[in-house]
Amino acid sequence: MSDPHDRSLGRPDLLDDSGLTPLSQEALLDLEQTFFQWHRRVLKGELTGRLLAESGHPIEPGQFHALTAVARIAAGVGRDGPTAPTVGLLADEMAIDPSRASRVAADLIAQGLIRREAAQDDGRKTVLCLTDTGRAVLADMRDRKWAHFVRMFSRWSEDEIACFARLFKRYARDIMGDDMG
C-alpha cells in the first residue's frame, strides 16, 4: 500500500516551509486524508441511505436531500428569513440546474412528499410546500439521525464532544473564511 503522505499523491512542498512542527504536519496530512474519506461518504449519502433503508421510506438519498432543501428554504435556514420555496431556489440550494430541480420536485410530488401551490403574493408563481407525509418523513429521519448521533457520541467524554464541536465549527468557519458565529 502506498504512503498517503507521498508528494506524488498530493503532499504539498509548502508544508516543509510552513514553520509547522513535523508532528503538526503529519497530523494535518492525516486530517486531510480522514476529511477526504468523510466527505466522500457524505457526498455518496451513505449515512442517509442507511437510515432511509432502516426506515423503509421509499425515497432515495438525493430525493431526501431535496426534501430537506425545501424544508430549509421554507424555514429560512442559512437565509435572511423564511422564504417560499420555488424550483429556482431548490436548484440553488442543491447546486443543480433548474431543469434537474424541476424533475426532482416532480418526483417528490409524485411520492406525495411535497405539492405545488400558487404563491400568496403572486398567483403566477408556483411554490413547493411540504405535505403531512413529507413532514412525517423528515421528522422520522431527524429522530433516526439523532439516535445514531447519540449512540455514536455516547462513547465520547463530555470534554471530547465539546472540544470536537468547538473545533469543527472553527474549522468550518475558517476553511471558507466565513463568520458562522
Side-chain angles (χ1 to χ4, degrees):
M1 181 171 191
S2 64
D3 177 8
H5 302 160
D6 186 315
R7 290 193 197 297
S8 65
L9 297 176
R11 180 184 169 128
D13 292 330
L14 176 67
L15 281 178
D16 293 333
D17 301 324
S18 67
L20 295 170
T21 66
L23 182 61
S24 292
Q25 290 180 31
E26 285 301 310
L28 287 175
L29 290 165
D30 288 342
L31 175 64
E32 192 268 342
Q33 288 296 314
T34 302
F35 187 74
F36 170 80
Q37 293 167 354
W38 173 81
H39 188 252
R40 184 171 177 266
R41 287 179 161 172
V42 168
L43 287 176
K44 289 175 67 176
E46 288 182 12
L47 177 58
T48 301
R50 185 169 33 147
L51 295 176
L52 284 167
E54 289 172 7
S55 75
H57 298 302
I59 182 174
E60 297 173 12
Q63 294 170 328
F64 181 75
H65 179 60
L67 185 64
T68 60
V70 170
R72 282 192 309 272
I73 295 165
V77 176
R79 300 174 180 277
D80 291 335
T83 305
T86 63
V87 169
L89 289 174
L90 178 62
D92 182 58
E93 181 78 11
M94 294 182 67
I96 59 177
D97 64 82
S99 62
R100 174 77 180 122
S102 182
R103 289 190 301 275
V104 171
D107 289 344
L108 294 176
I109 290 166
Q111 293 181 54
L113 300 171
I114 64 172
R115 66 180 176 278
R116 292 185 199 267
E117 291 183 0
Q120 295 298 316
D121 61 339
D122 181 353
R124 297 169 295 173
K125 183 168 80 172
T126 302
V127 296
L128 306 172
C129 300
L130 293 171
T131 64
D132 289 342
T133 302
R135 280 190 284 281
V137 168
L138 287 173
D140 179 56
M141 290 298 290
R142 178 202 59 223
D143 293 348
R144 289 175 186 280
K145 176 189 73 174
W146 278 103
H148 175 77
F149 281 176
V150 167
R151 280 191 308 274
M152 182 181 71
F153 285 112
S154 69
R155 296 185 300 265
W156 292 35
S157 73
E158 179 179 314
D159 288 341
E160 288 172 327
I161 294 169
C163 183
F164 178 74
R166 179 178 52 79
L167 291 175
F168 192 76
K169 183 176 183 178
R170 180 176 167 188
Y171 171 81
R173 181 192 65 229
D174 290 353
I175 193 79
M176 298 301 293
D178 292 340
D179 183 15
M180 294 176 59

